[in-house]
Amino acid sequence: MNGEILDQRLMPAPHDPDIPQRLARLAQLAQLGVGDRPDPEFDQFAARLAAAANAPYAMVNFVGDEEQYFAGLYGPSSSKADALEAASSASRAAPGRTMSREHGYCPHVVVRRKALVLDDVCAYPRFAVNPVVNSIGVRAYMGAPLIDRTGTAIGTICVVNTEESNWGRNGLDMIKSMANEVMELIHRREQQLG
């Protein structure tokens, strides 16, 4: 019975009318080696983002139709992002490079096209029952959309914490500014490789 209540409260990934445009844009970027594989520069960016937010995890995330791909990933176990593939504890798994589009908060940020700060996800009933709350222990989330030169929201940058946070307005300004940095990096790569 309790599982049925949680299933009814679970807020699935929102309807996303821009999926065809996003998939086409992500396919173009993948031809340049952007967004479809681990990227050392994005991993380094994720480490800077985690430090700026004082959070244990950070990602540069590209959102597809069924799955999210973390081309940039940072976690507390090591400065090397792939160390996150190991479990962070006996009962909770650390995030890997992929996640279902139905899990997490980034798909909401992409569809809204606005940054989102949840200092305590448990304070928001529609977000508190997301599977990542229990599976990886997410307690706080902050993300901003990556909107490219074509106007397409291709993904997000985000940080998650296993404790409540006090990011507030300063955090919001910081993550929006850092999302612009990632888009400038992607646009430079397009110019160099395109």
Side-chain angles (χ1 to χ4, degrees), residues 45-67:
F45 177 87
R48 275 196 319 116
L49 178 59
N54 194 27
Y57 300 101
M59 296 91 163
V60 177
N61 182 16
F62 296 91
V63 179
D65 59 341
E66 295 181 16
E67 180 173 273

Side-chain angles (χ1 to χ4, degrees), residues 38 43 46-47 56-59 70-89 92-98 136:
D43 285 344
Y57 300 101
M59 296 91 163
F70 304 122
L73 182 61
Y74 177 81
S77 60
S78 166
S79 62
K80 294 187 182 241
D82 288 329
L84 287 176
E85 298 292 343
S88 62
S89 71
R92 289 191 174 141
R97 291 275 179 181
T98 61
I136 23 183

Side-chain angles (χ1 to χ4, degrees), residues 141-190:
Y141 169 90
M142 179 169 52
L146 296 174
I147 300 175
D148 78 352
R149 62 178 174 73
T150 70
T152 306
I154 58 175
T156 68
I157 62 168
C158 69
V159 293
V160 296
N161 204 338
T162 55
E163 302 173 355
E164 290 181 40
S165 295
N166 293 308
W167 292 314
R169 184 67 181 173
N170 289 338
L172 181 66
D173 292 342
M174 178 273 298
I175 201 155
K176 288 164 61 175
S177 174
M178 291 188 81
N180 289 335
E181 281 185 47
V182 171
M183 288 316 310
E184 288 171 11
L185 170 65
I186 291 171
H187 292 152
R188 277 195 308 271
R189 286 189 187 180
E190 278 189 289

